[in-house]
Structure formats: structure tokens, C-alpha cells
Amino acid sequence: MSKIQKIKGFSDLFSPESTVHTLMENLARQVFGTYGCQEVRVPILEKTELFARSIGEETDVVQKEMYTFADRKGRSLTMRPEATAGVLRAFIESGQCGAEGTTKLFACGPMFRYERPQKGRLRQFHQLDVEVLGTDAPQADAEVVLMLWTFLTKLGLKNLGLELNSLGCPECRPVFHQRLRDFLATIDHTQLCEDCKRRAQTNPLRVLDCKVPACKSLVENAPSIAESLCPGCDEHFAQVRDILDSAKLPYRLNDRLVRGLDYYQRTTFEVVSGEIGAQTAVAGGGRYDGLIKQLGGPDLPGIGFACGMERLALLYGQAQIPAPDFYLAVLDSRALNTALLLAQRMRERGFSGEVSFEARSIKAQMRQANKLGVKTCLILGQDEMEKGQIVVKDMATGVQKNIGQDDLEQALGFRKP
Ligand code: HAM
């Protein structure tokens, strides 16, 4: 029979990779928790309309990257390509959007985008996502950026760059759109990539951050959105920058940072790294006032971000997996059951370890103990069984002694809760 292989762009995570993911998730929960974020778990599958309406019909994500299919009753469903839309749907549907004040939500899990797989770009990837809902204060923007930066710093990541921009609001964006369209009318469209030929008509902002070198050089002299911001957006952005300056958080203003999803307004940001290949963005986010209303909720503002866990993991490197506390070698098959119950007793008391299921040669079992990296090996043979004892071997020194089985925890000097 032929082997069944995983789907292209999907991956299996074994330890240490899975350990790194768990570690990142736990740290995210803890750090974001200190800012008041509550975890929400939302479905992976949603109605297609949710994403089309929020991310935008004209985006690459909606146009060509979604895993969309009809269910058995012919309803169009989509595997979430990002978390924001689902979190907002849940926020609205649960009625939490009616509560006063600010709601801070944390979500994580797998996302799905049908992109061309490469290093740091998968079709199933994982995000750590934060959404801060119900405030348009510039302080919230600054707090969100600081929250992300604190998390990345605590993760021990270095050499990251923070890029910042403001995309304006429905008042000033149309003015910029027109200026941009006027500019795009002056360039040679035949030189644009196929995507940008389409974007120039449907979504001109996106031409600005196309990564294709030919497009990049064609829009080199495009107008800057910074010059088109209305006084309200200008002031809002100035305040955000002011706080980040006071917090001594270095950033680079990038007026070409438009992000790939259409719901953004005002502050947008990305964290980039030059150390993980072509896919440089490890996290990105921004403000999306108007989106909650667009999804049928009240007119509440919001801002958030998501980190790509696979990209963070590339920077994080290998996790140090702690060795188990013991390995219990069994030399006589008649001792197997006693060994198993002794190991069980130890685990109930909080120790970690493995016990042999077979009475193999002592050499093979020592090899196994070394492979696990344990400091202490316990050995149980018929002789020890009869005396109610067990051998405790210090793997570093090779010194071994017999102790009573009842004295195991104490004799080993374990200090576990
Ligand atoms: P995004 O920029 O599309 O934003 O994705 C956020 C992060 O997810 C990226 O910076 C990247 O690290 C990771 N990512 C995206 N696509 C892939 C992929 N194919 N393979 C591996 N990693 C990937 C959002 O998704 C927004 N929902 C963020 C947000 C939350 N904005 C406001 N709130």
C-alpha cells in the first residue's frame, strides 16, 4: 500500500518544534494577560461571507488564497485565513459588544491561506492574535504596539524592526486614493506585474507595497499618504508616535506600509526581521475602526495584531526540552508490573520519567536512559524485588546504591511540589 502524505504547505510539528509553539503560546497568554486580554476560542470554519466582507473582496487573500468549499447543503464555508474576522463576529454575536468600556481579546490557532509555500510561508500556519475593541484613543494604539514588543522581547528575539504608518480614515483616504490614481495613470502599466495591473484599478493602495522589483521602482515617486492625512488622523498618529518615543521604542516610519487586508484605517504596523528569508514580517496589525459596524455590530472602533508563530519559531531556534527525572530499567520480566506501579507512584507525586515495558539487556536500557538525558536511572531486578529495594544510579558519576522502594523520592533528593 502506498503511504499517505500530508498536504503540501501543511506541516506536522514534533518536539522540539511543538515545544517551541507551546512555549510561545504560554508566554503570549501570560504577557497579553498582564494587559487585560481574555482568551477567546473561535471556530476554524466560518461562512465565506464573513471574510469577503471584512478582509475585502479585492484582496489577494479573498481573491485567491482562501480554502473555500460548499458544505453538504451547498453553503459556502471558508477555513479562516486570519483570526480578526472570527473574533469580531463572536464579539458581536455574543452581545459582548454591548458592554461598556474596552474589551481585550486574545486568540490563537491555525490559519489557512493557499499561498505558494516557502520558508516561513505555509498553507496552514499559526497566529497569536490580539484585538482591543471599543476605543479609538491613540493610547490604545501605543499600548497594543508596546504589548506586541514586550512579548517579542520576553521571547528573547533580537534584531527586529518595527515599521509604522497611518492609512488615514474614510475622510482623507479618498483624497489620497485620487492622488494615487492620478499618479498611476502616468506610469507604464505594461511594466506592472499581473496582480498590480488589476490592483491599479481595484485597490490602488496595494500597488504601493508590491514586492515585485519592477513594480517597486515604478511607484518610487508615488505620493505619500503622510501628506494626505486629515488633521484628525495627523494628530492621532502624532500622539501614537509621541508615546512610543517616550517609551523609547524605536520604529521606522514607512509610508508604503499598507498591509494586505482592506479593513485597516489610521495606525498600521509590522514587525520585520531580516533573518528569516524572503518572508520578513513576523507580526502585523493596525486599527480597523468601522469594521465592527461593517459586520453588523455597533459602530465601535478596534485595533489589533497577529504574530506568525512559524516565523517566530524560525527566529527562536531550538527549545531546551527538560530531561525527565528518572528512567526505570527492568532486568527481570517478573519485575515489570512492580516497576510500572513504582513509576506511576512517582508521577502522581509530580516526577517525570519513563519505565521499561520489557526486560531488555542492561546495556540497551542504559542507552535508553542516556538518550533521554536523565540524571538518575533506577534499576529493578529480581533480587531488588525480593528485598523491596531498588538500585539508584547517578548517571554522571556511575555511582549506584540500593535503597528501600519506600524511600525512593527522598533518597533521590527530588524536591517536587
Ligand atoms: P497578516 O499580516 O495577514 O495580518 O498576518 C499576520 C502574521 O501572520 C504575518 O505577519 C505573518 O507572520 C503570519 N503569516 C501570514 N501569512 C502566513 C503564511 N502563509 N505562513 C506563515 N505565516 C504567515 C493578519 O492576519 C491580521 N488579522 C492581523 C490583525 C489582527 N490586524 C488586526 N488585528
Side-chain angles (χ1 to χ4, degrees), residues 81-84 113 115 120-123 125 127 129-131 259 261 263-264 270 281-286 288 303-308 310-311:
E82 55 114 50
T84 311
R113 293 185 194 176
E115 294 190 83
R121 188 163 69 192
L122 291 109
R123 289 181 174 171
F125 60 99
Q127 283 187 345
D129 180 275
V130 165
E131 310 297 347
R259 312 269 301 123
L261 315 162
Y263 47 60
Y264 292 112
E270 251 174 36
V282 297
Y288 45 76
I303 179 167
F305 64 80
C307 307
E310 282 75 7
R311 295 188 193 169

mmCIF file of all heavy atoms in Angstrom, residues 81-84 113 115 120-123 125 127 129-131 259 261 263-264 270 281-286 288 303-308 310-311, ligand 1:
data_model
loop_
_atom_site.group_PDB
_atom_site.id
_atom_site.type_symbol
_atom_site.label_atom_id
_atom_site.label_comp_id
_atom_site.label_asym_id
_atom_site.label_seq_id
_atom_site.Cartn_x
_atom_site.Cartn_y
_atom_site.Cartn_z
ATOM 1 N N PRO A 81 -8.635 32.444 7.178
ATOM 2 C CA PRO A 81 -7.293 32.831 6.751
ATOM 3 C C PRO A 81 -6.612 33.735 7.777
ATOM 4 O O PRO A 81 -5.427 34.036 7.658
ATOM 5 C CB PRO A 81 -7.542 33.596 5.448
ATOM 6 C CG PRO A 81 -8.939 34.119 5.557
ATOM 7 C CD PRO A 81 -9.699 33.203 6.473
ATOM 8 N N GLU A 82 -7.344 34.176 8.768
ATOM 9 C CA GLU A 82 -6.828 35.050 9.826
ATOM 10 C C GLU A 82 -7.856 35.022 10.957
ATOM 11 O O GLU A 82 -8.962 34.479 10.787
ATOM 12 C CB GLU A 82 -6.631 36.473 9.306
ATOM 13 C CG GLU A 82 -7.880 37.089 8.676
ATOM 14 C CD GLU A 82 -8.443 38.264 9.438
ATOM 15 O OE1 GLU A 82 -7.682 39.169 9.768
ATOM 16 O OE2 GLU A 82 -9.666 38.252 9.709
ATOM 17 N N ALA A 83 -7.502 35.623 12.102
ATOM 18 C CA ALA A 83 -8.369 35.476 13.268
ATOM 19 C C ALA A 83 -9.322 36.647 13.498
ATOM 20 O O ALA A 83 -10.380 36.485 14.103
ATOM 21 C CB ALA A 83 -7.506 35.280 14.516
ATOM 22 N N THR A 84 -8.937 37.827 13.015
ATOM 23 C CA THR A 84 -9.695 39.036 13.368
ATOM 24 C C THR A 84 -11.198 38.925 13.050
ATOM 25 O O THR A 84 -12.032 39.216 13.909
ATOM 26 C CB THR A 84 -9.109 40.264 12.629
ATOM 27 O OG1 THR A 84 -7.698 40.254 12.830
ATOM 28 C CG2 THR A 84 -9.691 41.562 13.137
ATOM 29 N N ARG A 113 -4.102 29.685 4.336
ATOM 30 C CA ARG A 113 -4.044 30.527 3.126
ATOM 31 C C ARG A 113 -3.367 29.724 2.020
ATOM 32 O O ARG A 113 -2.276 29.174 2.233
ATOM 33 C CB ARG A 113 -3.241 31.818 3.378
ATOM 34 C CG ARG A 113 -3.907 32.751 4.350
ATOM 35 C CD ARG A 113 -3.153 34.078 4.489
ATOM 36 N NE ARG A 113 -3.628 34.793 5.667
ATOM 37 C CZ ARG A 113 -3.135 35.930 6.109
ATOM 38 N NH1 ARG A 113 -2.152 36.526 5.449
ATOM 39 N NH2 ARG A 113 -3.617 36.497 7.205
ATOM 40 N N GLU A 115 -1.229 29.902 -0.334
ATOM 41 C CA GLU A 115 -0.129 30.675 -0.907
ATOM 42 C C GLU A 115 0.919 29.697 -1.404
ATOM 43 O O GLU A 115 0.878 28.516 -1.080
ATOM 44 C CB GLU A 115 0.495 31.572 0.163
ATOM 45 C CG GLU A 115 -0.418 32.657 0.664
ATOM 46 C CD GLU A 115 0.326 33.653 1.546
ATOM 47 O OE1 GLU A 115 0.958 34.555 1.003
ATOM 48 O OE2 GLU A 115 0.268 33.505 2.788
ATOM 49 N N GLY A 120 9.038 29.921 5.912
ATOM 50 C CA GLY A 120 8.249 30.914 6.649
ATOM 51 C C GLY A 120 6.892 31.201 6.035
ATOM 52 O O GLY A 120 6.170 32.084 6.496
ATOM 53 N N ARG A 121 6.546 30.481 4.956
ATOM 54 C CA ARG A 121 5.208 30.686 4.374
ATOM 55 C C ARG A 121 4.555 29.331 4.157
ATOM 56 O O ARG A 121 5.046 28.516 3.375
ATOM 57 C CB ARG A 121 5.306 31.444 3.064
ATOM 58 C CG ARG A 121 3.919 31.835 2.550
ATOM 59 C CD ARG A 121 3.982 32.918 1.506
ATOM 60 N NE ARG A 121 4.564 32.411 0.287
ATOM 61 C CZ ARG A 121 4.971 33.175 -0.738
ATOM 62 N NH1 ARG A 121 4.878 34.478 -0.654
ATOM 63 N NH2 ARG A 121 5.478 32.642 -1.810
ATOM 64 N N LEU A 122 3.481 29.110 4.888
ATOM 65 C CA LEU A 122 2.802 27.813 4.821
ATOM 66 C C LEU A 122 1.353 28.006 4.418
ATOM 67 O O LEU A 122 0.859 29.128 4.393
ATOM 68 C CB LEU A 122 2.862 27.136 6.192
ATOM 69 C CG LEU A 122 4.267 26.697 6.571
ATOM 70 C CD1 LEU A 122 4.798 27.578 7.674
ATOM 71 C CD2 LEU A 122 4.259 25.257 7.006
ATOM 72 N N ARG A 123 0.718 26.898 4.114
ATOM 73 C CA ARG A 123 -0.721 26.995 3.809
ATOM 74 C C ARG A 123 -1.536 26.819 5.086
ATOM 75 O O ARG A 123 -2.615 27.357 5.216
ATOM 76 C CB ARG A 123 -1.074 25.969 2.738
ATOM 77 C CG ARG A 123 -0.482 26.399 1.404
ATOM 78 C CD ARG A 123 -0.781 25.484 0.273
ATOM 79 N NE ARG A 123 -0.279 26.071 -0.969
ATOM 80 C CZ ARG A 123 -0.232 25.439 -2.130
ATOM 81 N NH1 ARG A 123 -0.656 24.172 -2.225
ATOM 82 N NH2 ARG A 123 0.222 26.039 -3.196
ATOM 83 N N PHE A 125 -0.752 27.781 8.878
ATOM 84 C CA PHE A 125 0.206 28.398 9.790
ATOM 85 C C PHE A 125 -0.554 28.797 11.051
ATOM 86 O O PHE A 125 -1.777 28.656 11.110
ATOM 87 C CB PHE A 125 0.887 29.603 9.121
ATOM 88 C CG PHE A 125 -0.071 30.683 8.701
ATOM 89 C CD1 PHE A 125 -0.261 31.812 9.482
ATOM 90 C CD2 PHE A 125 -0.796 30.575 7.520
ATOM 91 C CE1 PHE A 125 -1.158 32.811 9.099
ATOM 92 C CE2 PHE A 125 -1.696 31.560 7.135
ATOM 93 C CZ PHE A 125 -1.873 32.678 7.917
ATOM 94 N N GLN A 127 -1.254 31.611 14.269
ATOM 95 C CA GLN A 127 -1.137 33.002 14.714
ATOM 96 C C GLN A 127 -1.439 33.147 16.202
ATOM 97 O O GLN A 127 -2.234 32.399 16.764
ATOM 98 C CB GLN A 127 -2.143 33.891 13.957
ATOM 99 C CG GLN A 127 -1.748 34.226 12.542
ATOM 100 C CD GLN A 127 -2.683 35.250 11.893
ATOM 101 O OE1 GLN A 127 -3.777 35.514 12.391
ATOM 102 N NE2 GLN A 127 -2.240 35.827 10.787
ATOM 103 N N ASP A 129 -3.013 36.161 18.267
ATOM 104 C CA ASP A 129 -3.771 37.320 17.822
ATOM 105 C C ASP A 129 -4.364 38.088 18.998
ATOM 106 O O ASP A 129 -4.879 37.492 19.935
ATOM 107 C CB ASP A 129 -4.905 36.812 16.899
ATOM 108 C CG ASP A 129 -5.770 37.919 16.365
ATOM 109 O OD1 ASP A 129 -6.733 38.328 17.058
ATOM 110 O OD2 ASP A 129 -5.480 38.379 15.250
ATOM 111 N N VAL A 130 -4.277 39.402 18.933
ATOM 112 C CA VAL A 130 -4.865 40.251 19.980
ATOM 113 C C VAL A 130 -5.782 41.275 19.325
ATOM 114 O O VAL A 130 -5.418 41.856 18.299
ATOM 115 C CB VAL A 130 -3.750 40.967 20.783
ATOM 116 C CG1 VAL A 130 -4.318 42.116 21.613
ATOM 117 C CG2 VAL A 130 -3.024 39.986 21.686
ATOM 118 N N GLU A 131 -6.938 41.493 19.906
ATOM 119 C CA GLU A 131 -7.857 42.523 19.418
ATOM 120 C C GLU A 131 -8.297 43.372 20.618
ATOM 121 O O GLU A 131 -8.723 42.821 21.635
ATOM 122 C CB GLU A 131 -9.090 41.892 18.747
ATOM 123 C CG GLU A 131 -8.809 40.817 17.700
ATOM 124 C CD GLU A 131 -8.045 41.292 16.468
ATOM 125 O OE1 GLU A 131 -7.921 42.518 16.277
ATOM 126 O OE2 GLU A 131 -7.554 40.439 15.708
ATOM 127 N N ARG A 259 -0.365 47.033 4.257
ATOM 128 C CA ARG A 259 -0.934 45.780 4.769
ATOM 129 C C ARG A 259 -1.837 45.115 3.715
ATOM 130 O O ARG A 259 -2.360 45.756 2.817
ATOM 131 C CB ARG A 259 -1.711 45.985 6.074
ATOM 132 C CG ARG A 259 -0.957 46.800 7.095
ATOM 133 C CD ARG A 259 -0.117 45.966 8.015
ATOM 134 N NE ARG A 259 -0.904 45.009 8.727
ATOM 135 C CZ ARG A 259 -0.672 43.700 8.679
ATOM 136 N NH1 ARG A 259 0.298 43.205 7.955
ATOM 137 N NH2 ARG A 259 -1.412 42.883 9.368
ATOM 138 N N LEU A 261 -4.692 43.442 4.046
ATOM 139 C CA LEU A 261 -6.117 43.268 4.322
ATOM 140 C C LEU A 261 -6.763 44.654 4.282
ATOM 141 O O LEU A 261 -6.166 45.631 4.724
ATOM 142 C CB LEU A 261 -6.294 42.612 5.706
ATOM 143 C CG LEU A 261 -5.353 41.425 5.963
ATOM 144 C CD1 LEU A 261 -5.238 41.105 7.443
ATOM 145 C CD2 LEU A 261 -5.831 40.197 5.210
ATOM 146 N N TYR A 263 -9.257 46.112 5.802
ATOM 147 C CA TYR A 263 -10.045 46.766 6.863
ATOM 148 C C TYR A 263 -9.298 47.833 7.659
ATOM 149 O O TYR A 263 -9.851 48.462 8.534
ATOM 150 C CB TYR A 263 -10.647 45.727 7.818
ATOM 151 C CG TYR A 263 -9.748 44.627 8.349
ATOM 152 C CD1 TYR A 263 -8.622 44.895 9.097
ATOM 153 C CD2 TYR A 263 -10.075 43.292 8.109
ATOM 154 C CE1 TYR A 263 -7.832 43.872 9.609
ATOM 155 C CE2 TYR A 263 -9.292 42.263 8.605
ATOM 156 C CZ TYR A 263 -8.169 42.548 9.356
ATOM 157 O OH TYR A 263 -7.402 41.545 9.852
ATOM 158 N N TYR A 264 -8.032 48.056 7.335
ATOM 159 C CA TYR A 264 -7.258 48.975 8.175
ATOM 160 C C TYR A 264 -7.553 50.446 7.920
ATOM 161 O O TYR A 264 -7.839 50.862 6.805
ATOM 162 C CB TYR A 264 -5.764 48.726 7.991
ATOM 163 C CG TYR A 264 -5.333 47.385 8.536
ATOM 164 C CD1 TYR A 264 -4.914 46.381 7.685
ATOM 165 C CD2 TYR A 264 -5.368 47.131 9.900
ATOM 166 C CE1 TYR A 264 -4.525 45.147 8.178
ATOM 167 C CE2 TYR A 264 -4.987 45.899 10.406
ATOM 168 C CZ TYR A 264 -4.572 44.913 9.544
ATOM 169 O OH TYR A 264 -4.195 43.700 10.032
ATOM 170 N N GLU A 270 4.036 46.812 11.340
ATOM 171 C CA GLU A 270 4.553 45.470 11.087
ATOM 172 C C GLU A 270 5.865 45.324 11.817
ATOM 173 O O GLU A 270 6.620 46.289 11.960
ATOM 174 C CB GLU A 270 4.773 45.270 9.571
ATOM 175 C CG GLU A 270 3.773 44.317 8.987
ATOM 176 C CD GLU A 270 3.827 44.173 7.476
ATOM 177 O OE1 GLU A 270 4.928 44.210 6.908
ATOM 178 O OE2 GLU A 270 2.745 44.009 6.896
ATOM 179 N N ALA A 281 7.934 39.598 7.479
ATOM 180 C CA ALA A 281 7.002 40.075 8.511
ATOM 181 C C ALA A 281 6.719 38.979 9.540
ATOM 182 O O ALA A 281 6.194 37.923 9.200
ATOM 183 C CB ALA A 281 5.705 40.529 7.876
ATOM 184 N N VAL A 282 7.095 39.224 10.777
ATOM 185 C CA VAL A 282 6.796 38.236 11.817
ATOM 186 C C VAL A 282 5.485 38.577 12.534
ATOM 187 O O VAL A 282 4.870 37.718 13.150
ATOM 188 C CB VAL A 282 7.942 38.082 12.852
ATOM 189 C CG1 VAL A 282 9.199 37.579 12.187
ATOM 190 C CG2 VAL A 282 8.225 39.374 13.581
ATOM 191 N N ALA A 283 5.078 39.838 12.440
ATOM 192 C CA ALA A 283 3.815 40.242 13.056
ATOM 193 C C ALA A 283 3.304 41.485 12.345
ATOM 194 O O ALA A 283 4.096 42.243 11.776
ATOM 195 C CB ALA A 283 4.017 40.536 14.544
ATOM 196 N N GLY A 284 2.012 41.661 12.385
ATOM 197 C CA GLY A 284 1.463 42.857 11.749
ATOM 198 C C GLY A 284 0.092 43.162 12.306
ATOM 199 O O GLY A 284 -0.587 42.279 12.837
ATOM 200 N N GLY A 285 -0.294 44.417 12.192
ATOM 201 C CA GLY A 285 -1.617 44.758 12.689
ATOM 202 C C GLY A 285 -1.954 46.200 12.417
ATOM 203 O O GLY A 285 -1.276 46.881 11.647
ATOM 204 N N GLY A 286 -3.011 46.641 13.069
ATOM 205 C CA GLY A 286 -3.417 48.019 12.888
ATOM 206 C C GLY A 286 -4.840 48.255 13.357
ATOM 207 O O GLY A 286 -5.507 47.352 13.872
ATOM 208 N N TYR A 288 -8.805 49.248 12.916
ATOM 209 C CA TYR A 288 -9.845 48.934 11.927
ATOM 210 C C TYR A 288 -11.206 49.485 12.347
ATOM 211 O O TYR A 288 -12.208 48.761 12.342
ATOM 212 C CB TYR A 288 -9.931 47.418 11.671
ATOM 213 C CG TYR A 288 -9.893 46.582 12.938
ATOM 214 C CD1 TYR A 288 -11.009 46.476 13.754
ATOM 215 C CD2 TYR A 288 -8.738 45.920 13.316
ATOM 216 C CE1 TYR A 288 -10.980 45.725 14.917
ATOM 217 C CE2 TYR A 288 -8.684 45.168 14.479
ATOM 218 C CZ TYR A 288 -9.807 45.073 15.267
ATOM 219 O OH TYR A 288 -9.752 44.345 16.418
ATOM 220 N N ILE A 303 -8.544 47.813 17.343
ATOM 221 C CA ILE A 303 -7.157 47.704 16.848
ATOM 222 C C ILE A 303 -6.592 46.373 17.320
ATOM 223 O O ILE A 303 -6.985 45.872 18.376
ATOM 224 C CB ILE A 303 -6.296 48.901 17.340
ATOM 225 C CG1 ILE A 303 -4.845 48.753 16.841
ATOM 226 C CG2 ILE A 303 -6.332 49.066 18.849
ATOM 227 C CD1 ILE A 303 -4.003 50.004 17.002
ATOM 228 N N GLY A 304 -5.688 45.811 16.547
ATOM 229 C CA GLY A 304 -5.114 44.531 16.964
ATOM 230 C C GLY A 304 -3.913 44.159 16.144
ATOM 231 O O GLY A 304 -3.450 44.929 15.301
ATOM 232 N N PHE A 305 -3.408 42.972 16.406
ATOM 233 C CA PHE A 305 -2.259 42.466 15.650
ATOM 234 C C PHE A 305 -2.251 40.953 15.691
ATOM 235 O O PHE A 305 -2.956 40.337 16.507
ATOM 236 C CB PHE A 305 -0.924 42.995 16.213
ATOM 237 C CG PHE A 305 -0.629 42.528 17.618
ATOM 238 C CD1 PHE A 305 -0.112 41.260 17.868
ATOM 239 C CD2 PHE A 305 -0.879 43.360 18.699
ATOM 240 C CE1 PHE A 305 0.154 40.825 19.164
ATOM 241 C CE2 PHE A 305 -0.620 42.942 20.004
ATOM 242 C CZ PHE A 305 -0.095 41.668 20.224
ATOM 243 N N ALA A 306 -1.465 40.368 14.812
ATOM 244 C CA ALA A 306 -1.235 38.920 14.876
ATOM 245 C C ALA A 306 0.233 38.639 14.598
ATOM 246 O O ALA A 306 0.859 39.292 13.760
ATOM 247 C CB ALA A 306 -2.113 38.195 13.859
ATOM 248 N N CYS A 307 0.780 37.652 15.342
ATOM 249 C CA CYS A 307 2.158 37.190 15.102
ATOM 250 C C CYS A 307 2.071 35.861 14.370
ATOM 251 O O CYS A 307 1.200 35.042 14.665
ATOM 252 C CB CYS A 307 2.877 36.888 16.409
ATOM 253 S SG CYS A 307 2.866 38.200 17.605
ATOM 254 N N GLY A 308 2.961 35.639 13.446
ATOM 255 C CA GLY A 308 3.052 34.348 12.764
ATOM 256 C C GLY A 308 3.981 33.429 13.548
ATOM 257 O O GLY A 308 5.178 33.698 13.672
ATOM 258 N N GLU A 310 5.131 30.359 13.087
ATOM 259 C CA GLU A 310 6.202 29.651 12.381
ATOM 260 C C GLU A 310 7.390 30.581 12.159
ATOM 261 O O GLU A 310 8.544 30.169 12.258
ATOM 262 C CB GLU A 310 5.705 29.114 11.034
ATOM 263 C CG GLU A 310 4.873 27.848 11.129
ATOM 264 C CD GLU A 310 3.457 28.072 11.643
ATOM 265 O OE1 GLU A 310 3.061 29.237 11.803
ATOM 266 O OE2 GLU A 310 2.745 27.078 11.881
ATOM 267 N N ARG A 311 7.088 31.847 11.868
ATOM 268 C CA ARG A 311 8.184 32.810 11.638
ATOM 269 C C ARG A 311 8.884 33.145 12.942
ATOM 270 O O ARG A 311 10.097 33.273 12.990
ATOM 271 C CB ARG A 311 7.649 34.064 10.947
ATOM 272 C CG ARG A 311 7.144 33.706 9.570
ATOM 273 C CD ARG A 311 6.766 34.906 8.750
ATOM 274 N NE ARG A 311 6.009 34.440 7.585
ATOM 275 C CZ ARG A 311 5.350 35.212 6.756
ATOM 276 N NH1 ARG A 311 5.375 36.522 6.939
ATOM 277 N NH2 ARG A 311 4.695 34.709 5.733
HETATM 278 P P1 HAM B 1 -1.346 39.412 8.471
HETATM 279 O O1 HAM B 1 -0.266 40.426 8.276
HETATM 280 O O2 HAM B 1 -2.036 38.923 7.269
HETATM 281 O O3 HAM B 1 -2.359 40.074 9.488
HETATM 282 O O4 HAM B 1 -0.767 38.172 9.249
HETATM 283 C C1 HAM B 1 -0.101 38.340 10.493
HETATM 284 C C2 HAM B 1 1.140 37.487 10.519
HETATM 285 O O5 HAM B 1 0.819 36.132 10.226
HETATM 286 C C3 HAM B 1 2.189 37.852 9.463
HETATM 287 O O6 HAM B 1 2.989 38.917 9.903
HETATM 288 C C4 HAM B 1 2.983 36.554 9.373
HETATM 289 O O7 HAM B 1 3.953 36.493 10.409
HETATM 290 C C5 HAM B 1 1.919 35.496 9.613
HETATM 291 N N1 HAM B 1 1.523 34.887 8.331
HETATM 292 C C6 HAM B 1 0.651 35.352 7.429
HETATM 293 N N2 HAM B 1 0.539 34.502 6.377
HETATM 294 C C7 HAM B 1 1.369 33.466 6.637
HETATM 295 C C8 HAM B 1 1.709 32.252 5.937
HETATM 296 N N3 HAM B 1 1.142 31.928 4.780
HETATM 297 N N4 HAM B 1 2.618 31.414 6.506
HETATM 298 C C9 HAM B 1 3.187 31.727 7.697
HETATM 299 N N5 HAM B 1 2.890 32.853 8.402
HETATM 300 C C10 HAM B 1 2.007 33.708 7.876
HETATM 301 C C11 HAM B 1 -3.495 39.439 9.923
HETATM 302 O O8 HAM B 1 -3.740 38.283 9.754
HETATM 303 C C12 HAM B 1 -4.378 40.347 10.747
HETATM 304 N N6 HAM B 1 -5.581 39.586 11.103
HETATM 305 C C13 HAM B 1 -3.668 40.867 11.968
HETATM 306 C C14 HAM B 1 -4.524 41.760 12.787
HETATM 307 C C15 HAM B 1 -5.154 41.447 13.941
HETATM 308 N N7 HAM B 1 -4.841 43.002 12.492
HETATM 309 C C16 HAM B 1 -5.644 43.480 13.421
HETATM 310 N N8 HAM B 1 -5.846 42.527 14.286
#
